[in-house]
């Protein structure tokens, strides 16, 4: 059969990797897809820049809309990132009757509902496996492999940059600023790392995973987001002394009152599977009724997922659009607008660190305030003050408590004259059913 002709929007790290993978494994890919896949065009900023032998037979254009409207392109792969012009290019490709593959998690999180509606009307397919967790096929797993399960929840380390920073803070004893600089030096973090360290990137991905897991529209704007910016090395160390590791997690969980969608630093027991995931590795733990807990783990190039989507679309070119796998796992007219729990209503255990005057009765004042809010304590760690110092660090682990009650208790504790500065609070989760 004739080759499927692909146009790449962008020949950067992901675009170049996609081109390389398609060329290197062309025979194997053709056997899987049933037809050859060939990159015929690519949109770049500078067409005169040397691109290597793989791009020798690729026609380079500097106007991405020229590529999108080219009559000899079957599938457009959007690999430039960001919201605009990516959104306009994807919608233009769909309206031109072309299938689309994208690795753009921000685009899908913010505009996926609009893009999927446009694709259904045009009778074309949109692949976005590469938008979450690099090369791990987590979207296909949730959408197809677990199609017979009711998914109760999921939790993931879905930002490799933040995971690398936290790993270096723990293993090398680095402070946050030094660990971030190390990640930037190695190319794991951008010059402006805000999306990674502030949890926005993980929230984009979590909103996509939750929509597929629970059969609801994408709702990025309702995800509670906290990042790791400014986390103290001392809290990473104290967590270790108490038997926990600190990870930036994206958590989506069904409850009887609604769905929890939250991204924040979380203490995990050291022996938990996700606690063992270090460096730039991603991992997603899925809790479903039939299979139970299952872990999907790896790094792998994003290009691997892009090519997988290209193969899937090639296989499905002759399938009636109404019978393709639904984008969010459930048919679009069966999605449910599930209530999203505000973070104040979420119940978790907490790690608290406070700096108190080293004198009798101070800890009793603190525990009395916690008791007033019906917050029970699981463990207390009190360090000896350094020589000549009048204040001491006190660390408490609580049992599960509603967030609103904890915030009220913290405000009262911080108002005590014996407490110096703010109380550091980090959520603690065993990720049980």
């Amino acid at each position: 059969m004739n080759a499927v002709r692909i146009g790449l929007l962008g020949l950067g790290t992901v675009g170049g990797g996609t081109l390389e993978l398609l060329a290197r494994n062309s025979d194997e890919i053709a056997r899987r897809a049933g037809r050859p896949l060939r990159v015929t065009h690519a949109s770049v900023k500078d067409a005169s820049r040397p691109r290597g032998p793989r791009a020798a037979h690729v026609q380079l254009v500097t106007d991405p809309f020229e590529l999108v409207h080219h009559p000899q392109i079957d599938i457009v792969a959007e690999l430039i990132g960001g919201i605009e012009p990516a959104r306009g290019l994807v919608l233009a490709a769909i309206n031109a009757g072309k299938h689309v593959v994208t690795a753009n998690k921000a685009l899908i999180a913010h505009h996926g509902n609009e893009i999927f509606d446009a694709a259904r009307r045009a009778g074309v397919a949109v692949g976005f496996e590469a938008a979450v967790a690099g090369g791990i096929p987590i979207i296909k797993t949730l959408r197809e492999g677990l199609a017979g399960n009711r998914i109760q929840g999921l939790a993931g380390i879905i930002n490799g940059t933040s995971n690398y920073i936290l790993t270096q803070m723990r293993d090398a004893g680095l402070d946050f600023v030094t660990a971030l600089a190390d990640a930037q030096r190695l190319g794991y973090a951008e010059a402006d790392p805000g999306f990674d360290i502030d949890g926005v990137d993980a929230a984009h991905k979590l909103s996509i995973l939750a929509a597929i897991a629970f059969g609801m529209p994408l709702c990025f704007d309702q995800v509670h987001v906290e990042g790791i910016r400014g986390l103290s090395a001392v809290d990473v160390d104290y967590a270790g002394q108490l038997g926990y590791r600190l990870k930036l997690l994206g958590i989506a969980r069904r409850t009887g009152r609604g769905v929890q969608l939250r991204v924040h630093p979380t203490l995990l027991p050291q022996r938990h599977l996700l606690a063992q995931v270090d460096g730039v590795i991603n991992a997603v733990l899925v809790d479903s009724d039939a299979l139970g807990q299952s872990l999907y783990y790896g790094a792998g190039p994003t290009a691997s997922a892009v090519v997988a989507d290209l193969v899937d679309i090639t296989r499905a070119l002759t399938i009636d659009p109404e019978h393709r796998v639904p984008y969010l796992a459930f048919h679009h007219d069966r999605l449910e607008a599930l209530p999203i729990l505000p973070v104040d209503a979420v119940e978790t255990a907490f790690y608290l660190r406070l700096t108190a005057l080293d004198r009798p009765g101070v800890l009793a004042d603190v525990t009395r305030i916690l008791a007033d809010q019906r917050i029970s304590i699981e463990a207390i760690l009190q360090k000896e003050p350094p020589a000549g110092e009048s204040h001491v660090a006190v660390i408490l682990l609580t049992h599960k408590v509603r967030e609103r009650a904890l915030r009220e208790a913290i405000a009262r504790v911080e108002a005590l004259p014996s407490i110096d500065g703010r109380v550091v609070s980090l959520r603690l989760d065993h990720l049980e059913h």
Side-chain angles (χ1 to χ4, degrees):
M1 298 180 70
N2 292 333
V4 171
R5 299 159 299 185
I6 298 163
L8 301 179
L9 293 174
L11 264 184
T13 301
V14 179
T18 299
L19 180 63
E20 167 66 26
L21 195 55
L22 285 169
R24 188 175 70 238
N25 295 341
S26 59
D27 290 344
E28 189 81 0
I29 291 168
R31 289 172 58 208
R32 293 179 185 274
R35 299 169 66 177
L37 278 68
R38 183 171 302 126
V39 176
T40 59
H41 295 73
S43 169
V44 296
K45 290 182 178 179
D46 180 5
S48 65
R49 176 183 159 193
R51 299 285 172 177
R54 297 295 195 195
H57 302 291
V58 177
Q59 183 176 335
L60 302 181
V61 300
T62 54
D63 180 1
F65 284 95
E66 177 186 342
L67 182 150
V68 161
H69 292 290
H70 198 290
Q72 294 182 347
I73 292 176
D74 303 304
I75 306 175
V76 172
E78 183 279 303
L79 307 173
I80 57 177
I83 301 296
E84 293 293 354
R87 172 181 167 273
L89 288 164
V90 165
L91 290 174
I94 289 170
N95 291 333
K98 301 187 188 304
H99 305 284
V100 171
V101 169
T102 180
N104 193 333
K105 56 267 189 183
L107 178 65
I108 297 299
H110 286 277
H111 297 288
N113 296 325
E114 174 190 19
I115 288 168
F116 300 152
D117 283 343
R120 277 190 293 269
R121 291 194 301 270
V124 299
V126 176
F128 56 101
E129 180 69 65
V132 180
I136 304 172
I138 186 61
I139 290 175
K140 182 176 286 291
T141 298
L142 292 174
R143 200 163 57 184
E144 300 173 45
L146 296 177
N149 287 248
R150 176 180 171 83
I151 296 174
Q152 312 290 358
L154 57 87
I157 295 171
I158 45 181
N159 182 268
T161 300
S162 293
N163 201 45
Y164 176 83
I165 290 170
L166 292 175
T167 300
Q168 290 299 98
M169 290 177 71
R170 185 193 74 225
D171 291 350
L174 304 181
D175 60 33
F176 173 79
V177 172
T178 305
L180 171 58
D182 185 49
Q184 290 173 318
R185 177 182 61 82
L186 294 172
Y188 298 146
E190 302 289 342
D192 179 1
F195 265 35
D196 292 322
I197 65 175
D198 292 331
V200 178
D201 176 80
H204 285 149
K205 297 169 183 175
L206 182 70
S207 67
I208 296 169
L209 294 178
I212 297 169
F214 304 143
M216 64 185 194
L218 291 149
C219 51
F220 166 76
D221 59 346
Q222 295 186 70
V223 180
H224 174 77
V225 187
E226 298 175 30
I228 64 168
R229 189 190 294 268
L231 274 182
S232 172
V234 72
D235 292 313
V236 175
D237 180 56
Y238 284 148
Q241 292 182 44
L242 290 161
Y244 293 88
R245 289 184 176 178
L246 195 55
K247 296 291 183 183
L248 181 71
L249 291 187
I251 299 173
R253 185 175 292 157
R254 293 183 197 257
T255 76
R257 295 176 293 130
V259 173
Q260 298 178 13
L261 293 178
R262 46 194 173 96
V263 170
H264 51 69
T266 308
L267 273 72
L268 287 174
Q270 288 179 348
R271 295 184 64 182
H272 193 280
L273 287 172
L274 284 178
Q276 308 299 316
V277 178
D278 289 334
V280 293
I281 302 297
N282 282 206
V284 179
L285 183 74
V286 181
D287 183 15
S288 55
D289 63 343
L291 186 60
Q293 288 195 336
S294 51
L295 181 69
Y296 307 89
Y297 167 100
T302 302
S304 172
V306 173
V307 172
D309 274 340
L310 292 170
V311 170
D312 271 356
I313 290 176
T314 300
R315 289 169 172 164
L317 283 177
T318 58
I319 297 177
D320 182 335
E322 291 300 314
H323 293 91
R324 293 180 182 139
V325 177
Y327 297 117
L328 299 180
F330 296 74
H331 283 278
H332 70 280
D333 57 350
R334 303 300 298 274
L335 296 178
E336 296 181 33
L338 300 174
I340 308 299
L341 279 180
V343 73
D344 278 354
V346 172
E347 291 187 3
T348 61
F350 276 85
Y351 161 103
L352 304 176
R353 175 171 61 84
L354 50 98
T355 303
L357 276 174
D358 185 27
R359 70 182 187 195
V362 171
L363 191 55
D365 291 339
V366 172
T367 56
R368 189 177 305 112
I369 290 172
L370 296 179
D372 288 346
Q373 294 292 336
R374 298 186 177 181
I375 301 171
S376 60
I377 298 170
E378 180 180 332
I380 298 177
L381 177 64
Q382 182 170 338
K383 311 299 286 186
E384 289 296 321
E389 293 288 335
S390 60
H391 288 79
V392 62
V394 179
I395 296 90
L396 302 96
L397 300 184
T398 77
H399 290 285
K400 279 189 176 181
V401 56
R402 187 162 298 188
E403 184 122 357
R404 184 183 299 111
L406 184 87
R407 295 299 162 208
E408 292 173 2
I410 286 177
R412 290 179 58 192
V413 170
E414 289 177 338
L416 292 172
S418 55
I419 300 301
D420 183 36
R422 71 183 186 90
V423 175
V424 174
S425 64
L426 297 167
R427 295 172 190 83
L428 185 158
D429 209 316
H430 290 81
L431 300 180
E432 297 169 338
H433 301 293

